[in-house]
Amino acid sequence: MDASLEKIADPTLAEMGKNLKEAVKMLEDSQRRTEEENGKKLISGDIPGPLQGRIQNIGEQGHMALLGHSLGAYISTLDKEKLRKLTTRILSDTTLWLCRIFRYENGCAYFHEEEREGLAKICRLAIHSRYEDFVVDGFNVLYNKKPVIYLSAAARPGLGQYLCNQLGLPFPCLCRVPCNTVFGSQHQMDVAFLEKLIKDDIERGRLPLLLVANAGTAAVGHTDKIGRLKELCEQYGIWLHVEGVNLATLALGYVSSSVLAAAKCDSMTMTPGPWLGLPAVPAVTLYKHDDPALTLVAGLTSNKPTDKLRALPLWLSLQYLGLDGFVERIKHACQLSQRLQESLKKVNYIKILVEDELSSPVVVFRFFQELPGSDPVFKAVPVPNMTPSGVGRERHSCDALNRWLGEQLKQLVPASGLTVMDLEAEGTCLRFSPLMTAAGAPTNQNRHGDQTGTATPVDTSGMSTLPLRRDSPMSQALDQLFWEHCIIALNSHNRPIMLGPSPFSCPTAFVS
């Protein structure tokens, strides 16, 4: 970091950066704790109250991000000329670094606190770009030719309603695009059906305005066929916006072709704060547009120097981490997902919903009980002679089992980020997304062979209603997977534990 400060030409930036290490050291020293036999004792340098014992867990890079907010308040008191030069430099540097890291050439950046705010601003920009008289005539222009915003059926809940509320548009301006039903992932947007919807809207006198694609759906982390969607958007003059957790992999050496196509989109929203384990860091929307007047009207740019200071926490964090540290945190999360996939493959009665095994940072899986006479290739698919009531009972039992296991794992490792979710086609599944949690608690992957400590008790009372025998293959598979998953989850959050018998080995946990 010291060497990088010598390269800063701006004297104000150099003066500000010289004391960063000292400031971080003061923050860490103020959080030191002494442990005694009877518990932890508060010393004079600690912060009392609910923050006690928590701030030191965010790491030095987290302190750097928090320091950016304090420095922002200090910088805002400078005289206007110095403030203008300094904030312009911070904004341009951060924008340039992010565009290079994520392969987004000649892009601009908008920093915002609310993750969906960037997309709302992009929609305003698209409206101003397609409706030249919108500034003068307002919504009268939209009434004559209604805009249409296309969202995937797999988009995160509430996104469409948020956009309509922010833009003042009626709900009929939203078009929900279904996902694949026959070919490809059932969590990917159906491109052929989307093209049919676009043609129908054009025939009705509507204006296809913007398409929101997913590089990592909110539920299972699957990526739309962005390359094909880009071609379709260029053909019909539609703005293409991409969002999703898989955009983080653009910083890695290996990137799947579907995610790599996102680098050619018109805009994309990213959340580097959770990816890097940085608190209070804004989300970023990268976009490409040649008219600065329209971006100003849309709210993507501002003439106020204080608005440009939103980038300061991320600017400081990038200075501290460097490119290697940035990439390492994302790579580390993807490796955790790959390790979990390798463990799951060794266990029978597991269905994994992973799109790209080499680079997917999200793993979704579920247990299932293979039905008598079912095809081993298509596991958990009932035979035709099974009654609907029998299928329903089997589905209900598997859902209850997955829900119980997910709750137990969340109690065992609350910081693991494991979530339980109900999918329409698959049922209850478990979702592991270390990219959103693991960076805040660095992992040493070599530790899983030497765990020490005391085993956390697991409540097995919920198993009493599950139709499983203690000696069944299903129970043995559950017993094997339970601790394999715990090893990875505990490793990923640096918490030691003694691996004792799993609840699936407990005789009282099963119905005889």
Side-chain angles (χ1 to χ4, degrees), residues 408 411-412 454-460 482-483 495 497-498 501 503:
Q408 293 300 321
Q411 292 179 17
L412 184 65
T454 304
T456 304
V458 179
D459 179 18
T460 61
F482 184 85
W483 288 125
R495 177 182 172 186
I497 191 169
M498 177 182 293

Side-chain angles (χ1 to χ4, degrees), residues 57-95:
N57 294 330
I58 63 177
E60 192 169 319
Q61 73 275 5
H63 283 146
M64 191 67 67
L66 294 177
L67 186 61
H69 291 272
S70 299
L71 288 176
Y74 165 74
I75 292 173
S76 64
T77 63
L78 298 176
D79 63 81
K80 291 184 179 180
E81 186 59 25
K82 282 188 176 181
L83 179 62
R84 183 188 63 80
K85 290 182 178 179
L86 184 58
T87 54
T88 301
R89 173 65 183 274
I90 292 173
L91 180 62
S92 61
D93 282 354
T94 311
T95 301

Side-chain angles (χ1 to χ4, degrees), residues 251-314:
L252 303 180
Y254 168 80
V255 187
S256 64
S257 58
S258 57
V259 177
L260 186 59
K264 304 297 183 181
C265 65
D266 298 301
S267 59
M268 59 182 178
T269 296
M270 301 175 296
T271 54
W275 299 348
L276 304 176
L278 302 174
V281 167
V284 184
T285 295
L286 300 180
Y287 64 95
K288 298 177 182 178
H289 202 270
D290 299 330
D291 193 339
L294 291 183
T295 58
L296 182 62
V297 172
L300 290 167
T301 57
S302 174
N303 292 325
K304 298 179 181 179
T306 52
D307 290 342
K308 300 177 183 179
L309 286 176
R310 293 176 186 171
L312 181 57
L314 189 55

Side-chain angles (χ1 to χ4, degrees), residues 130-358:
R130 297 298 301 274
Y131 295 90
E132 297 180 357
D133 298 330
F134 181 73
V135 176
V136 178
D137 298 332
F139 286 95
N140 290 328
V141 179
L142 304 183
Y143 179 80
N144 297 326
K145 199 169 188 178
K146 296 180 178 62
V148 183
I149 299 175
Y150 300 92
L151 297 177
S152 170
R156 47 183 163 165
L159 179 60
Q161 182 178 359
Y162 172 84
L163 292 177
C164 287
N165 292 338
Q166 293 295 314
L167 301 172
L169 296 177
F171 289 125
C173 289
L174 293 177
C175 182
R176 185 181 177 91
V177 184
C179 295
N180 296 322
T181 56
V182 180
F183 301 104
S185 167
Q186 294 184 356
H187 302 274
Q188 284 181 343
M189 189 184 301
D190 189 331
V191 181
F193 199 91
L194 170 63
E195 186 172 13
K196 180 180 180 299
L197 291 173
I198 294 174
K199 292 179 179 179
D200 291 344
D201 287 330
I202 294 176
E203 291 178 359
R204 295 175 183 176
R206 299 179 177 180
L207 178 65
L209 181 69
L210 183 139
L211 169 66
V212 182
N214 292 305
T217 56
V220 299
H222 287 197
T223 301
D224 291 326
K225 299 176 182 179
I226 300 179
R228 179 71 183 94
L229 293 176
K230 178 60 178 176
E231 296 175 358
L232 199 63
C233 289
E234 289 179 346
Q235 179 180 351
Y236 293 98
I238 302 174
W239 185 289
L240 176 61
H241 180 85
V242 181
E243 61 180 20
V245 68
N246 292 349
L247 289 175
T249 60
L250 286 171
L252 303 180
Y254 168 80
V255 187
S256 64
S257 58
S258 57
V259 177
L260 186 59
K264 304 297 183 181
C265 65
D266 298 301
S267 59
M268 59 182 178
T269 296
M270 301 175 296
T271 54
W275 299 348
L276 304 176
L278 302 174
V281 167
V284 184
T285 295
L286 300 180
Y287 64 95
K288 298 177 182 178
H289 202 270
D290 299 330
D291 193 339
L294 291 183
T295 58
L296 182 62
V297 172
L300 290 167
T301 57
S302 174
N303 292 325
K304 298 179 181 179
T306 52
D307 290 342
K308 300 177 183 179
L309 286 176
R310 293 176 186 171
L312 181 57
L314 189 55
W315 182 87
L316 290 174
S317 301
L318 292 175
Q319 290 267 23
Y320 178 81
L321 290 173
L323 177 60
D324 293 339
F326 189 103
V327 173
E328 182 60 30
R329 278 161 172 75
I330 297 175
K331 181 180 179 181
H332 166 72
C334 294
Q335 289 174 344
L336 287 177
S337 296
Q338 291 173 12
R339 291 190 63 201
L340 178 58
Q341 292 180 54
E342 293 171 359
S343 296
L344 293 174
K345 290 178 181 178
K346 300 175 184 177
V347 185
N348 295 324
Y349 305 102
I350 288 292
K351 180 180 181 181
I352 309 175
L353 305 176
V354 175
E355 183 181 24
D356 190 338
E357 296 183 358
L358 297 178

Side-chain angles (χ1 to χ4, degrees), residues 41-53:
K41 182 179 179 181
L42 180 67
I43 62 178
S44 58
D46 285 333
I47 296 179
L51 293 180
Q52 179 181 337

